[in-house]
């Protein structure tokens, strides 16, 4: 599901704002009330909150005996108006849980945080002519899975970890025809059960640096040339869109 939503940015300096939110798990954290993404003061952090999700015991189903617990949500947010000539990386992550309830028989053995950054670059907008061709570039800025080894615990919970493999975002150059999207994922698992009140979140520490950006898509771990083509058909005045499966180039850029 796709919704056009404002996301409040706490910085008075930059005008970064979102234009859309897409939930990957609409039944547990819908895009209207289940996802809240906000930059911190001075854009030194960004918080991804998922108010409705809770650590929940899975019931038996399809031969699975049940009894273990899980929590999770993912959402993709499209942002606009990035400052020009800068890029950022994620330095650390802190998970937060509201009123976690683990007995001696419950073991929280997995907390995961993943952040992917993508740029869709329209190649022929000045002047506009068909077919409209988009290139695509993406990279994983954070991918962390830890074992808290936590049991016999009641109350608010937080756990912080450094990002062992920081990766820089693209260098923003203010190109208005680009779309930049960030996907935030938070998941956790416990064996033997365990519950929590709704409300999980993760704080992401950010570091910024100045850079020179000749092209925002000359970057990334994955690059797809001609990722999408949009052609106008005069016969019925509709648009035809097609997304390329290839060529796909795995391009390591720093």
């Amino acid at each position: 599901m796709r919704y056009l939503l404002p996301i409040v940015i706490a910085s008075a300096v930059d005008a970064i704002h979102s234009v859309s939110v897409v939930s990957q798990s609409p039944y547990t954290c819908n895009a209207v009330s289940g996802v809240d993404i906000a930059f911190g003061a001075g854009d030194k952090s960004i918080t991804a909150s998922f108010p409705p999700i809770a650590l929940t015991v899975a019931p038996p189903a399809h031969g699975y005996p049940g009894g273990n617990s899980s929590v999770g949500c993912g959402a993709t947010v499209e942002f606009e108006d990035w400052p020009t000539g800068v890029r950022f990386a994620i330095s650390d992550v802190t998970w937060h849980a509201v009123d976690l309830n683990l007995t001696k028989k419950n073991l929280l053995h997995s907390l995961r945080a993943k952040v992917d950054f993508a740029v869709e670059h329209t190649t022929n907008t000045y002047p506009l002519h068909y077919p409209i061709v988009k290139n695509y570039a993406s990279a994983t800025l954070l991918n962390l899975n830890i074992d808290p080894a936590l049991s016999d615990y009641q109350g608010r919970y937080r756990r912080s970890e450094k990002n062992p493999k920081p990766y820089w975002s693209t260098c923003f150059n203010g190109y208005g025809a680009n779309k930049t999207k960030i996907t935030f994922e938070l998941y956790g698992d416990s064996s033997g059960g365990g519950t929590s009140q709704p409300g999980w979140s993760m704080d992401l520490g950010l570091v910024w640096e100045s850079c020179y950006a000749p092209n925002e898509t000359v970057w990334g771990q994955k690059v797809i040339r001609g990722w999408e083509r949009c052609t106008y058909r005069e016969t019925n005045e509709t648009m035809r869109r097609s997304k390329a499966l290839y060529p796909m180039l795995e391009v390591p850029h720093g």
Side-chain angles (χ1 to χ4, degrees):
M1 294 187 296
R2 182 181 177 92
Y3 296 89
L4 298 181
L5 295 175
I7 291 182
V8 177
I9 301 302
S11 171
V13 178
D14 299 323
I16 309 169
H17 69 278
S18 73
V19 293
S20 70
V21 181
V22 179
S23 174
Q24 298 178 356
S25 314
Y27 294 105
T28 56
C29 56
N30 67 77
V32 176
S33 59
V35 179
D36 183 11
I37 312 296
F39 280 84
D43 296 340
K44 294 180 180 180
S45 66
I46 186 168
T47 298
S49 300
F50 307 101
I53 66 173
L55 187 66
T56 306
V57 181
H62 304 291
Y64 170 66
N68 295 326
S69 297
S70 63
V71 63
C73 183
T76 300
V77 182
E78 181 183 336
F79 289 97
E80 286 186 346
D81 294 331
W82 294 92
T84 302
V86 295
R87 61 181 184 174
F88 74 89
I90 297 173
S91 59
D92 57 84
V93 58
T94 301
W95 293 267
H96 297 269
V98 177
D99 204 5
L100 185 61
N101 182 23
L102 300 173
T103 69
K104 292 182 179 180
K105 296 182 179 179
N106 309 146
L107 178 64
L108 183 66
H109 61 84
S110 176
L111 280 176
R112 302 188 298 282
K114 187 178 182 185
V115 178
D116 293 318
F117 189 98
V119 181
E120 299 172 14
H121 173 72
T122 303
T123 63
N124 52 349
T125 56
Y126 305 106
L128 176 66
H129 60 277
Y130 294 103
I132 298 174
V133 179
K134 288 184 179 181
N135 294 336
Y136 176 92
S138 68
T140 298
L141 306 188
L142 171 73
N143 190 5
L144 195 56
N145 188 347
I146 67 166
D147 180 0
L150 183 68
S151 64
D152 194 18
Y153 183 92
Q154 286 79 41
R156 288 185 173 270
Y157 177 71
R158 69 190 301 271
R159 174 68 181 263
S160 299
E161 293 288 336
K162 294 291 185 183
N163 183 2
K165 297 180 179 179
Y167 194 94
W168 290 105
S169 73
T170 187
C171 186
F172 303 105
N173 68 359
Y175 189 66
N178 284 357
K179 290 184 178 180
T180 57
K181 299 179 180 180
I182 307 178
T183 299
F184 304 87
E185 298 180 14
L186 183 159
Y187 293 97
D189 295 288
S190 68
S191 57
T195 61
S196 76
Q197 293 296 316
W200 284 69
S201 64
M202 58 182 182
D203 296 330
L204 307 167
L206 304 181
V207 291
W208 295 82
E209 72 171 16
S210 299
C211 56
Y212 174 68
N215 188 327
E216 291 177 354
T217 52
V218 181
W219 159 88
Q221 297 162 338
K222 181 182 293 183
V223 177
I224 307 174
R225 305 298 183 192
W227 173 71
E228 181 178 271
R229 290 174 175 266
C230 182
T231 303
Y232 181 74
R233 296 185 298 175
E234 293 185 357
T235 53
N236 56 8
E237 297 184 354
T238 60
M239 304 292 285
R240 175 186 297 169
R241 292 180 181 269
S242 62
K243 290 189 177 180
L245 296 180
Y246 20 48
M248 180 181 292
L249 306 177
E250 303 290 341
V251 181
H253 289 288

